Amino acid sequence: MKRMEHTLLAFVIGWLCLSQLRAASSDSRKIDGPHSTVTVQVYKSGFLSAFGHNHEIQAPIQSGEMTESNSPSVELRVDARKLQVLDPEVSEGTRAQIQETMQSIQVLDVVHFPEIRFQSTGMEPKGPDHWIVHGNLALHGKDRPVAVEVTLKGEHYRGSATLKQTDFGITPVTVAGGTVKVKNEVKIEFEIALIR
């Protein structure tokens, strides 16, 4: 009987040690999707740009994971079909037209490319709670390296990067014979909350 008790005790101690080791080695945390967003700022240009307007587009971050350790990393996924044009200064009808154009084959082609994904490849510390995160962005069927400036404020990570639409096979939209168009460069901003 004592031998069986010793065996059981050894098993319990071993299991507890293994559990603690796993907990210590796994410090990854899931991203809190409903409280995490990505925002795209699209700016106007062209000879008659005064008659156009900038666009603000936003979507929740669908899923992702962040590892906070000696080898930190982050992975994010956004459903391109959930990107919404906000543009409060335009009518609902105009906003709907912009939304349709953005989702169409002319721009994001969300039917064929429904997912936007970012996977970090390295991080450079730039000061307290400040990093440059290098990684690959998969967008519109293209995978390109990007650098994202990230800060930690409170319990939220905030970041931004500028990229060119043409790098991802997207031709910037033009209207009125090119006298009003959007700039090739767009600004991507994100705010990330982690599940506790």
Side-chain angles (χ1 to χ4, degrees):
M1 186 71 172
K2 279 197 170 187
R3 186 175 177 187
M4 187 174 177
E5 287 175 359
H6 286 306
T7 304
L8 182 60
L9 182 61
F11 173 77
V12 170
I13 291 171
W15 182 80
L16 286 172
C17 289
L18 183 61
S19 296
Q20 288 176 351
L21 184 62
R22 283 179 180 161
S25 64
S26 176
D27 61 352
S28 63
R29 296 171 64 189
K30 297 286 185 188
I31 287 170
D32 185 353
H35 298 100
S36 302
T37 57
V38 61
T39 304
V40 182
Q41 304 288 349
V42 183
Y43 303 104
K44 63 187 178 181
S45 68
F47 178 67
L48 297 178
S49 62
F51 297 99
H53 56 274
N54 299 326
H55 304 300
E56 185 175 1
I57 302 157
Q58 193 173 81
I61 292 176
Q62 180 181 7
S63 65
E65 191 170 68
M66 181 175 289
T67 301
E68 301 168 309
S69 67
N70 292 333
S71 299
S73 66
V74 63
E75 182 259 337
L76 307 172
R77 294 175 186 273
V78 174
D79 186 341
R81 297 165 296 188
K82 293 189 177 178
L83 283 163
Q84 292 293 316
V85 175
L86 302 181
D87 294 4
E89 73 279 6
V90 301
S91 68
E92 189 175 328
T94 300
R95 196 161 48 247
Q97 288 176 343
I98 296 166
Q99 178 81 24
E100 184 178 347
T101 300
M102 176 191 69
Q103 292 183 327
S104 74
I105 194 169
Q106 186 180 356
V107 184
L108 290 178
D109 193 3
V110 298
V111 172
H112 294 102
F113 308 110
E115 185 178 77
I116 300 167
R117 186 179 70 257
F118 175 80
Q119 176 65 60
S120 67
T121 56
M123 297 192 188
E124 292 177 57
K126 290 295 180 182
D129 299 330
H130 184 195
W131 306 265
I132 300 297
V133 179
H134 298 275
N136 292 315
L137 179 66
L139 169 66
H140 194 249
K142 306 287 184 185
D143 200 326
R144 298 286 183 265
V146 296
V148 185
E149 187 166 357
V150 179
T151 57
L152 175 62
K153 294 186 178 179
E155 296 187 356
H156 288 211
Y157 288 91
R158 292 182 171 90
S160 65
T162 300
L163 57 87
K164 292 182 178 180
Q165 297 181 70
T166 50
D167 287 345
F168 295 88
I170 300 170
T171 302
V173 173
T174 63
V175 294
T179 56
V180 180
K181 55 187 177 181
V182 299
K183 289 184 178 179
N184 189 17
E185 292 82 9
V186 299
K187 186 176 183 180
I188 309 274
E189 300 170 312
F190 67 82
E191 182 167 345
I192 294 175
L194 300 177
I195 294 175
R196 296 183 181 187

